[in-house]
Amino acid sequence: MEKTNRVLLKLSGEALAGEKHTGFDEATVVEVAKQVKQVVDSGVQVGVVIGGGNFWRGRTSNKIERTKADQIGMLATIMNCVYVSEIFRTEGVDTVVMTPFACGDIAQLYSKDASMEALKEGKVVFFAGGTGHPYFSTDTATALRAIEIEADCILLAKAIDGVYDSDPKLNPNAKKFDSISLNEVLEKKLGVIDLSATIMCLENKMPMLIFGLNEENSIVKTVNGEFSGTRVTVD
């Protein structure tokens, strides 16, 4: 991989929860902060999107109308970003939290210009609140922000260590892909990210590197091209 100058790191809410599977595992978040500091100190600009699955899985309930369920999910991502950004600060990383809708003094209102300026100043920018609209997941927000900030690639840090041809939790013989194209992801219906996000990445030629968050030094290794996950190409 060519030299990376700017990345969008997508963190799984479940991965940040560790073995508790809900809330936060502080040791995990501190380790992420230390790795991101190394990346930023090396001159790479980092934006972050965090999923909300450690707090809210609204689509599993038929009791709540979809728009409201998605709005609760947006708030979950804001809680995640505020918490994680504060842990980053304790590790010496300057941060900014941005949301697509006003949140008082909790976060700044998102704009491309402001986020680009913060990135160039060496700050880690947290893009919280999804796209600000229902019916769009944090996958779509990740693709959107990565394209807007002109990232070189998306780093997808998950609880699982790459892309498989079937669910490795259910199938012990599942095959892991070292590399796969976005077109193949669509054809095989692998569900790496949701459909709208996949199409956005394909149309805008945004590659992804997918890896296990809990593997040792995984973020630093991925930025340096030494990861053992799955490379998702735009070819």
Side-chain angles (χ1 to χ4, degrees), residues 64-86:
I64 301 175
E65 192 263 330
R66 172 67 182 271
T67 297
K68 296 302 180 185
D70 284 358
Q71 288 171 343
I72 296 169
M74 292 176 212
L75 296 176
T77 71
I78 295 171
M79 290 193 297
N80 280 348
C81 284
V82 170
Y83 174 86
V84 175
S85 71
E86 284 303 302

Side-chain angles (χ1 to χ4, degrees), residues 118-136:
L119 288 166
K120 290 173 183 176
E121 291 172 356
K123 297 177 181 178
V124 172
V125 180
F126 287 81
F127 300 106
T131 67
H133 300 283
Y135 294 92
F136 293 99

Side-chain angles (χ1 to χ4, degrees), residues 38-218:
Q38 286 186 56
V39 171
V40 172
D41 287 347
S42 74
V44 178
Q45 299 171 12
V46 180
V48 178
V49 172
I50 307 177
N54 54 325
F55 283 116
W56 181 249
R57 282 288 183 188
R59 296 183 193 183
T60 61
S61 171
N62 59 7
K63 301 289 186 182
I64 301 175
E65 192 263 330
R66 172 67 182 271
T67 297
K68 296 302 180 185
D70 284 358
Q71 288 171 343
I72 296 169
M74 292 176 212
L75 296 176
T77 71
I78 295 171
M79 290 193 297
N80 280 348
C81 284
V82 170
Y83 174 86
V84 175
S85 71
E86 284 303 302
I87 298 296
F88 274 40
R89 290 181 187 183
T90 66
E91 295 298 324
V93 181
D94 288 335
T95 64
V96 177
V97 179
M98 292 187 169
T99 52
F101 45 81
C103 289
D105 62 358
I106 294 173
Q108 294 184 24
L109 193 61
Y110 169 78
S111 81
K112 175 176 177 175
D113 289 346
S115 64
M116 294 289 273
E117 186 63 31
L119 288 166
K120 290 173 183 176
E121 291 172 356
K123 297 177 181 178
V124 172
V125 180
F126 287 81
F127 300 106
T131 67
H133 300 283
Y135 294 92
F136 293 99
S137 71
T138 51
D139 285 346
T140 310
T142 298
L144 175 63
R145 298 302 182 223
I147 293 162
E148 285 185 308
I149 67 171
E150 302 166 37
D152 295 315
C153 66
I154 293 169
L155 309 184
L156 208 57
K158 306 180 68 135
I160 190 169
D161 65 347
V163 180
Y164 289 77
D165 61 358
S166 58
D167 189 342
K169 294 179 182 177
L170 302 176
N171 177 15
N173 297 314
K175 175 190 172 186
K176 180 180 171 182
F177 296 98
D178 292 327
S179 180
I180 190 170
S181 71
L182 281 164
N183 274 318
E184 288 179 284
V185 168
L186 286 172
E187 289 169 5
K188 297 177 185 295
K189 299 180 180 179
L190 294 176
V192 175
I193 53 177
D194 68 29
L195 183 61
S196 60
T198 304
I199 292 171
M200 285 182 69
C201 287
L202 186 61
E203 289 180 340
N204 292 277
K205 299 190 180 304
M206 180 60 64
M208 290 182 287
L209 300 174
I210 302 175
F211 59 98
L213 177 62
N214 295 321
E215 293 185 9
E216 185 178 1
N217 224 26
S218 60

Side-chain angles (χ1 to χ4, degrees), residues 9 11 32 35-36 39 211 213 217-223:
L9 173 64
L11 296 170
V32 169
Q35 289 190 59
V36 172
V39 171
F211 59 98
L213 177 62
N217 224 26
S218 60
I219 297 171
V220 173
K221 286 180 179 177
T222 299
V223 169

